[in-house]
Amino acid sequence: MPAFTAKQLTQWLYAKRVSSIDDMTNISKQNRERLSAEYEVGAMAPIDCQRSKDGTVKYLFPVCGDGCDDNATHTTEKFVETVFIPDGERATLCISCQVGCKMNCLFCQTGKQGWHGNLTAADILNQIYALPEADRLTNIVFMGQGEPMDNLEAVLQVCEILTADWGYAWSPKRITVSSVGVKGKLKRLLDESDCHIAISMHSPLHEQRQQLMPAENAMPIEETVALLKQYDFTHQRRCSFEYICFRGLNDTPLYAREIVRLLQGLECRVNLIRFHEIPCVNLPASD
C-alpha cells in the first residue's frame, strides 16, 4: 500500500475513533478489503457500568490479554474495571493495565484476586477508545488494576500513542503512571517517558511498609526516593506519593516527620487517601 496509508490509518483510529476498517473511506476499497482480511480495529464496548451520585462511573471492560504464564490463573473470560471521574472542567480516567495484580499489597482488593494476565496495549487503549465519555477526558491515570511496571512494554507503548503527533497528541502532563516501585523498571519509565509519576508509599518506614507492601523487599522506599532525586521535577513533570491513612498505624505526627525526612530535597506532593475497608483485612480507616 502507499506509504501515506499509515497516516490515514492513524487519523481514522486516533482522531476519528472508527469501529470498523470499512469506515476508513479515504482508503481504497481494495486496500480496505485487504486490511479487513487480516486485521480488525478491536474496539470493545464496556459490558456493564455502575454510576455514583457524584457523576463517577465505573465501567467493566472485556479484555483479550496476552496469554497467561504457568503461574497465572487460566480463565476463558477476563474483565477489568475502568473509572471515569468528572470534577468540574476536569475529567479523569483511571485505567487498568493487568487482570489482577502480583504485588499483593495488604490493603488492596485487586491483589487479593491474584494475577490473571497482562493487558495488551490494545486492551489498555480500548478503555479510552471505547469509553462513552472519551471526548470529555482531560487526564488519564494508570491507577486501576495491576502494577504498570509489571507490564511496562505495553504501558510505554500506550504512552507513546497517547502523546505522539500521529496518535492522540496529548501532552505528557495529562498522564500519570503509578507504581509501588519495581527495581529497574521504574528507572526505565523515568528515562523513556515524560509522564507524571505517582509512587505508592503508605509508610515511610521500611519495616512497616514491608508488612503493608511485599514490594518493599525488592525495592525499599528509601531506594525509590533516591532514584527519583536524580530527576528534575521542578518544571514540566510532577512527582507525587500516594499515602493511605490508617488510624493509629501511620497517621500520627511521627509519620509526618518521617515523610518530611524521607522526601527532603525532592520536589513532590503527598496525596492523603481515605481507606475504603475490604473484607478480611483488619486495617482501620483514619477519621
Side-chain angles (χ1 to χ4, degrees), residues 135-153:
D135 291 336
R136 295 174 55 189
L137 291 180
T138 61
N139 300 83
I140 288 173
V141 294
F142 284 82
M143 295 182 182
Q145 292 173 256
E147 164 58 48
M149 299 306 101
D150 203 31
N151 190 15
L152 185 57
E153 293 293 343

Side-chain angles (χ1 to χ4, degrees), residues 105-114 275-281:
C105 298
L106 179 61
F107 47 81
C108 179
Q109 184 65 49
T110 301
K112 303 297 178 284
Q113 300 171 13
F275 177 54
H276 297 282
E277 296 181 16
I278 61 175
C280 303
V281 174

Side-chain angles (χ1 to χ4, degrees), residues 177-283:
V177 181
S178 70
S179 178
V180 299
V182 178
K183 193 180 292 290
K185 300 288 186 69
L186 181 58
K187 184 179 189 308
R188 187 178 165 199
L189 177 75
L190 290 163
D191 290 339
E192 298 184 23
S193 167
D194 293 324
C195 297
H196 297 322
I197 302 295
I199 300 296
S200 297
M201 179 192 293
H202 311 305
S203 175
L205 304 181
H206 174 69
E207 292 79 9
Q208 185 183 62
R209 192 167 187 262
Q210 276 182 316
Q211 297 172 359
L212 294 171
M213 306 171 66
E216 172 73 7
N217 293 308
M219 190 171 183
I221 189 64
E222 296 265 4
E223 188 176 318
T224 301
V225 172
L227 173 64
L228 291 167
K229 287 181 178 179
Q230 299 174 28
Y231 294 83
D232 182 10
F233 294 104
T234 60
H235 295 96
Q236 297 297 317
R237 177 186 266 180
R238 186 176 68 233
C239 175
S240 60
F241 291 86
E242 308 301 312
Y243 196 94
I244 297 176
C245 294
F246 303 108
R247 187 176 71 250
L249 187 68
N250 69 347
D251 64 348
T252 64
L254 166 66
Y255 289 90
R257 289 192 293 271
E258 285 298 315
I259 291 171
V260 171
R261 177 198 61 79
L262 176 65
L263 302 182
Q264 188 168 9
L266 178 63
E267 184 74 20
C268 62
R269 62 181 66 182
V270 179
N271 294 323
L272 302 182
I273 302 170
R274 183 182 299 278
F275 177 54
H276 297 282
E277 296 181 16
I278 61 175
C280 303
V281 174
N282 187 27
L283 287 172

